[in-house]
Amino acid sequence: MIFLEPLISVLSRPVFAEPSHLPVTWLGESTDGERLAEFAGRLCYMSQKNPAKRETREYLENIKKQGHGSVLEHANYSLLLEGVSRSLTHELVRHRAGFAYSQLSQRYVDESTANFVMPPAIIGDEALEKAWTRQVEEAQKAYVGLVEQLMTRYAWVPDKVHRRKMAREAARGVLPNSTETKIVVTANARAWRTMLELRSSEGAEFEIRRCAVAILRILKDEAPAFFSDFEIYQAGDRAEAAKIAYHKV
Ligand SMILES: Cc1cc2nc3c(=O)[nH]c(=O)nc-3n(C[C@H](O)[C@H](O)[C@H](O)COP(=O)(O)OP(=O)(O)OC[C@H]3O[C@@H](n4cnc5c(N)ncnc54)[C@H](O)[C@@H]3O)c2cc1C
């Protein structure tokens, strides 16, 4: 199977449990993640009575404007990314602060029927698509052949699981960067903002940029107040990009 776009599922979102002895005067629409951040912010000044009569999303707009990013760190969102390439995840896992990752292991999992992700720049050009598909198919054939030969070479290893691992970890060397992978990514809203700013920008690589824009749309829906200052637009290279209003250094 060849993926032409990522498949993104929300695995978890915050559940806010308001303590009965410190109730907040909530105003306006909000989600649990947003209320959690507002609660944390208000605790700093014990302003639960909401003297300025701010709606949650107004309050959080001000938090972003002032650069009080730590308040956003309380809200974590976990996403499952599928239909993304190993080259995308290689770039993604460089984002460390506030992130957690669990990714499919090519040492344990058999890749002889692996899927591939066509780079966006190739999609739509018949000749390029053909050339690319031929190469990934050849690579997969080479992988299958190598696993077989390595299993024979190490037939004397008594533990079959260990033997398979030895074969797969060596054979994966011929698989391309375009091999599909799956990864669970958890990050707090502040960390998501930093990563999305960098990877949805025009300077980012096309596949991760497309993924970042898709994540942005999902998270904007989950918690509009955390991501409302991102603007998605059509860039000069005819692909979508996004820019942020409140950049945090
Ligand atoms: C367009 C683009 C091109 C790139 N090209 C390359 C490339 O060619 N080669 C390459 O190697 N990388 C490249 N990168 C990756 C880049 O160098 C960063 O590793 C990546 O963007 C993650 O950024 P970060 O370290 O700020 O993120 P995070 O690790 O999430 O950190 C976020 C912030 O936390 C703070 N922080 C985190 N860790 C530390 C620490 N140990 N010490 C002090 N402060 C810390 C910093 O303020 C940092 O900005 C590229 C990134 C982009 C967006």
Side-chain angles (χ1 to χ4, degrees):
M1 180 173 168
I2 290 175
F3 279 93
L4 300 179
E5 58 184 1
L7 190 61
I8 304 170
S9 315
V10 178
L11 298 181
S12 87
R13 53 179 70 92
V15 174
F16 175 60
E18 187 177 21
S20 55
H21 63 289
L22 280 178
V24 168
T25 306
W26 307 107
L27 292 174
E29 232 187 298
S30 57
T31 59
D32 274 21
E34 292 164 320
R35 280 195 292 280
L36 172 61
E38 180 175 350
F39 183 89
R42 290 199 176 280
L43 186 87
C44 301
Y45 304 123
M46 291 302 277
S47 64
Q48 291 88 355
K49 291 207 166 82
N50 196 354
K53 303 267 173 287
R54 280 207 169 116
E55 295 197 350
T56 297
R57 290 182 182 157
E58 230 182 304
Y59 176 85
L60 292 170
E61 184 73 13
N62 193 48
I63 289 277
K64 287 182 299 186
K65 201 188 288 178
Q66 304 291 333
H68 290 186
S70 59
V71 166
L72 309 183
E73 289 173 22
H74 296 287
N76 279 264
Y77 296 85
S78 300
L79 303 182
L80 165 66
L81 308 187
E82 299 172 277
V84 293
S85 70
R86 297 278 301 191
S87 54
L88 182 149
T89 56
H90 183 78
E91 294 188 355
L92 177 64
V93 299
R94 295 295 300 277
H95 297 275
R96 302 157 291 173
F99 273 88
Y101 302 100
S102 299
Q103 181 169 14
L104 178 153
S105 165
Q106 284 189 322
R107 297 178 69 211
Y108 280 89
V109 178
D110 175 27
E111 293 282 47
S112 49
T113 56
N115 301 313
F116 296 93
V117 181
M118 187 175 281
I122 285 178
I123 298 171
D125 182 300
E126 208 180 318
L128 284 172
E129 286 188 4
K130 242 185 179 166
W132 177 87
T133 306
R134 196 170 50 242
Q135 291 299 325
V136 296
E137 283 172 358
E138 284 303 315
Q140 195 160 35
K141 265 191 224 148
Y143 169 86
V144 172
L146 281 172
V147 170
E148 271 171 27
Q149 288 173 61
L150 284 156
M151 287 298 280
T152 307
R153 181 176 188 191
Y154 293 104
W156 51 269
V157 175
D159 181 346
K160 197 169 176 201
V161 174
H162 187 56
R163 201 183 331 143
R164 274 207 211 111
K165 208 163 45 149
M166 288 169 76
R168 289 169 185 168
E169 72 193 15
R172 70 174 167 174
V174 298
L175 289 172
N177 270 346
S178 294
T179 307
E180 190 243 349
T181 186
K182 299 177 195 304
I183 189 166
V184 173
V185 189
T186 299
N188 66 59
R190 182 188 199 174
W192 278 120
R193 282 174 58 82
T194 306
M195 174 278 200
L196 292 173
E197 178 184 356
L198 287 167
R199 301 300 182 176
S200 65
S201 75
E202 290 187 42
E205 185 270 343
F206 260 21
E207 190 197 347
I208 199 166
R209 175 171 144 194
R210 177 181 64 184
C211 187
V213 170
I215 292 173
L216 188 53
R217 286 204 165 94
I218 289 169
L219 293 181
K220 260 179 181 262
D221 203 41
E222 285 290 329
F226 296 151
F227 304 97
S228 57
D229 59 324
F230 277 91
E231 185 204 337
I232 298 172
Y233 64 98
Q234 197 78 15
D237 55 18
R238 298 185 185 161
E240 283 185 319
K243 54 186 171 208
I244 196 170
Y246 306 127
H247 167 73
K248 179 88 168 70
V249 282

